[in-house]
Amino acid sequence: MKITLAQICCVACDVEGNAAKIIEAAHKAKASSLVIFPELAVSGVCSAETFKSPGFIDKCEMALDKIAAECDTVPVLVGCPVGKFNAAVFMFQGQRKVFKKKQLSALEQDVFVPSDEDAVLQIGCHKYAVTIGSDLANTNDDVFLLKNRVDELMPLGVDVIINIGADKCGANRSRTRRDELRHNVLKTERPLVFVNNVAPKKEASFDGGSMIFGYESYVVASAPFFEEAVMDVNLECLISMRHEDMQQDYVL
């Protein structure tokens, strides 16, 4: 089984441009079982005022319809605001399934509402836990006892964890992000796929660095920082026994 990490530059408020980029990237995937896009890929990460502006969410949902129509034969998982939710939407051959973010940041709470709906994405014999951004952040005061969204999804028979993000760059952020995600792998003993938004380094915003962790909690595949990339990965890599990360940190 092959999945595709579609690390694209999703521009705030440019719904038409983002949708076109999503469609183009989806068609670059070669016989992929799932093409995964970043958090809020359709809308970009906008201000609260933009998300609340009349018709903006409707415009994003109309863009989803266009993506579904033009990528009907390509299974895609796309970050997009849906109603009052920050969501990840799976679309394939007329099917549509919406996964909603639970753990919202303080800024998001002014725009979206959290969801307690528990569901997994099943493709073939694999079950994926679909999480969004800070869903994987530790909600426990004890730094040594990780507690987050995955705790509620694991009883559903999860094989792989997916996290779509819009995680910004910063000093040492690549290392701390990698460690945060690694803790989830160590706790669950499940591979993890992370797909991030990206922008040019001169913008100092989203840094990319999408990656896949294998069972041993090491990065077994990694997209570049500050560059768009559509990367096909065979799930066989997830059983890799490498003992060093296949990702180098960047310097701002």
Side-chain angles (χ1 to χ4, degrees), residues 72-94:
D72 184 60
T73 60
V74 184
V76 296
L77 183 67
V78 181
C80 184
V82 175
K84 296 180 179 180
F85 300 98
N86 181 344
V89 185
F90 172 75
M91 299 180 292
F92 179 55
Q93 293 184 337

Side-chain angles (χ1 to χ4, degrees), residues 38-150:
E39 179 179 6
L40 297 173
V42 172
S43 61
V45 180
C46 307
S47 66
E49 290 73 19
T50 299
F51 281 119
K52 290 178 179 179
S53 63
F56 184 74
I57 300 296
D58 291 339
K59 184 177 181 181
C60 293
E61 294 185 11
M62 289 175 62
L64 278 180
D65 293 337
K66 180 178 181 180
I67 295 165
E70 298 201 25
C71 302
D72 184 60
T73 60
V74 184
V76 296
L77 183 67
V78 181
C80 184
V82 175
K84 296 180 179 180
F85 300 98
N86 181 344
V89 185
F90 172 75
M91 299 180 292
F92 179 55
Q93 293 184 337
Q95 305 173 55
R96 190 173 299 195
K97 190 167 186 176
V98 180
F99 302 89
K100 302 166 184 174
K101 189 173 184 177
K102 178 177 182 178
Q103 188 63 31
L104 302 175
S105 68
L107 292 175
E108 288 179 297
Q109 290 172 16
D110 192 40
V111 178
F112 301 114
V113 297
S115 173
D116 283 320
E117 294 181 16
D118 294 339
V120 296
L121 173 61
Q122 181 151 2
I123 302 176
C125 61
H126 294 284
K127 289 183 179 180
Y128 298 87
V130 178
T131 62
I132 304 170
S134 51
D135 276 340
L136 292 189
N138 190 5
T139 61
N140 198 323
D141 291 335
D142 186 346
V143 296
F144 297 105
L145 184 59
L146 181 64
K147 181 180 179 182
N148 57 25
R149 179 70 172 130
V150 177

Side-chain angles (χ1 to χ4, degrees), residues 174-185:
S174 57
R175 184 181 299 111
T176 56
R177 176 196 301 136
R178 195 162 57 239
D179 288 343
E180 289 166 2
L181 294 173
R182 192 195 313 280
H183 291 159
N184 284 274
V185 179

Side-chain angles (χ1 to χ4, degrees), residues 6-39:
Q7 177 176 289
I8 62 172
C9 180
C10 309
V11 179
C13 309
D14 186 9
V15 176
E16 292 88 353
N18 293 337
K21 191 168 289 187
I22 290 166
I23 292 166
E24 180 183 6
H27 286 296
K28 287 182 180 178
K30 305 299 183 183
S32 180
S33 297
L34 182 63
V35 186
I36 307 171
F37 292 88
E39 179 179 6

